[in-house]
Amino acid sequence: MAFVTTDDGAEIYFKDWGSPDAQPIMFHHGWPLSADDWDAQMLFFLAKGYRVIASDRRGHGRSSQIGTGHDMDHYASDVDAVVQHLDLRNAVHIGHSTGGGQVARYVAQYGEPQGRVAKAILVSSVPPLMVQTDANPDGTPISVFDDFRSALAANRAEFFQAVASGPFYGFNRDGVTPSEPVIANWWRQGMMGSALAHYEGIKAFSETDQTDDLKAISVPVLVTQGDDDQVVPYKDAALKQHELLSNSTLKIYEGYPHGMLTTHADVLNPDLLAFIQQ
C-alpha cells in the first residue's frame, strides 16, 4: 500500500490509478468514511482516460490513527503532502461532505497559490459553516452535533449503523428500499477508522468557518447537492457556496439524499464529467 508521511508524523494512505500523463482527478471523502467511498467514481473516470487519486483522511480508513491534527487545517495540509508527493498539476479536486470542506481549504490555501488546480467540485459539502451562530442563524444547532458526539462515544457501531441505514442515503424515506450491502459498506469504512478522529472530526466539519476559503477560490467550481439532504441542509450549504464563490455553477437535484454519489452514481458521474470537460 502507498503512504505519505506528513511533517507531524501522520501516515496518509492513498490510491493512484491510471496513466501519470493523464489529467489527475483527486477525490476527498466524507466523514467517517475512506477513499473506498469513491469506487463508483474512480472506476468511471479511469475508464474515461483520467488519472484518479483518493486518500484516506488522517485517522480514517487505512491512514494512521494519529492522536492529533483532526481539524480542517491539517486535513488540507495532508492533501498537499499527497499532491506534492505525486506532483499533481492541472488537477480537478472533488469533495463530498467533509471532503468538500477539505477541498475548499486545500484549493484556497495550497492548490491555487501553487498553480496546481484546474477546477473543483463540491458535492453535498459542509462549507461555509454548518453550526448555528449569531452570524449564521439558519445553521444547525450545536445540540445536534453534541448528540452526534454522545452517540459515537456511547456505541460507535450502533451509531454508524443508524446513520447509514437512515438519513445518509435517505433509506428512512417512504418508498425507498434500503440496500443492505451499501449500509454494510458504509459501516465497514467507518469502523476501520479511529474513534478519536471521528469524534474530533465532528467539530472540524461543523464548526469550521470556511467563508474566506470560498471567497478566495477563483477556478471554476461545480456546486451540487440534493434538496432532500438530511445531513447537510442544502440551503445553508450549496446555495451559500454558490453565492460566495466567484466562478461557480450550481446544480440542485430534486429528491436526492446526502449520499447521492452512491445512490445516483448513474446520474452524477456523467454530470461531473460534463463539467470537467467544459
Side-chain angles (χ1 to χ4, degrees):
M1 291 194 293
F3 292 87
V4 169
T5 302
T6 67
D7 290 342
D8 68 339
E11 294 183 333
I12 305 300
Y13 166 83
F14 67 92
K15 56 181 80 174
D16 176 14
W17 305 339
S19 169
D21 297 325
Q23 183 178 17
I25 303 176
M26 187 167 182
F27 299 89
H28 307 256
H29 65 80
W31 176 97
L33 303 173
S34 75
D36 294 352
D37 203 45
W38 290 104
D39 286 352
Q41 284 70 45
M42 292 186 71
L43 291 172
F44 175 84
F45 283 99
L46 181 65
K48 298 297 182 181
Y50 292 89
R51 179 183 181 183
V52 293
I53 303 99
S55 61
D56 290 351
R57 189 171 300 118
R58 65 169 54 207
H60 294 60
R62 289 139 294 203
S63 291
S64 62
Q65 295 198 9
I66 189 169
T68 57
H70 304 298
D71 54 71
M72 205 62 74
D73 285 336
H74 280 87
Y75 296 167
S77 177
D78 294 347
V79 172
D80 184 57
V82 176
V83 169
Q84 296 282 354
H85 176 74
L86 297 175
D87 193 25
L88 303 181
R89 300 179 184 276
N90 193 37
V92 178
H93 288 266
I94 305 179
H96 174 248
S97 198
T98 300
Q102 182 171 292
V103 166
R105 181 137 301 181
Y106 166 75
V107 172
Q109 297 192 5
Y110 297 92
E112 271 211 55
Q114 295 168 0
R116 292 180 176 272
V117 177
K119 293 181 178 181
I121 299 176
L122 305 179
V123 182
S124 309
S125 295
V126 297
L129 178 63
M130 281 196 73
V131 73
Q132 184 182 66
T133 65
D134 291 342
N136 186 38
D138 296 327
T140 303
I142 188 69
S143 59
V144 172
F145 304 112
D146 289 340
D147 288 345
F148 286 178
R149 280 181 277 262
S150 296
L152 189 153
N155 192 320
R156 183 168 61 135
E158 286 189 354
F159 177 51
F160 284 0
Q161 179 74 12
V163 173
S165 61
F168 196 92
Y169 296 112
F171 290 152
N172 56 343
R173 294 305 198 200
D174 290 342
V176 177
T177 301
S179 168
E180 292 303 327
V182 166
I183 295 168
N185 188 45
W186 198 101
W187 187 92
R188 174 193 68 84
Q189 291 179 69
M191 295 304 293
M192 286 173 65
S194 157
L196 176 64
H198 296 159
Y199 187 93
E200 294 188 350
I202 294 170
K203 180 179 179 68
F205 75 65
S206 65
E207 298 183 44
T208 304
D209 190 338
Q210 298 195 256
T211 300
D212 289 342
D213 291 331
L214 296 173
K215 289 181 177 180
I217 296 171
S218 62
V219 297
V221 181
L222 173 63
V223 173
T224 184
Q225 193 165 6
D227 69 1
D228 194 34
D229 190 325
Q230 300 173 67
V231 178
V232 179
Y234 82 100
K235 291 181 180 179
D236 205 40
L239 299 190
K240 290 185 177 180
Q241 293 159 23
H242 183 55
E243 291 175 0
L244 291 165
L245 289 159
S246 63
N247 188 7
S248 63
T249 300
L250 177 67
K251 188 171 183 62
I252 302 297
Y253 293 89
E254 184 177 356
Y256 282 22
H258 187 65
M260 63 183 184
L261 283 163
T262 298
T263 60
H264 296 81
D266 59 328
V267 175
L268 266 293
N269 289 352
D271 286 353
L272 301 184
L273 177 64
F275 173 77
I276 291 171
Q277 291 181 335
Q278 285 177 0

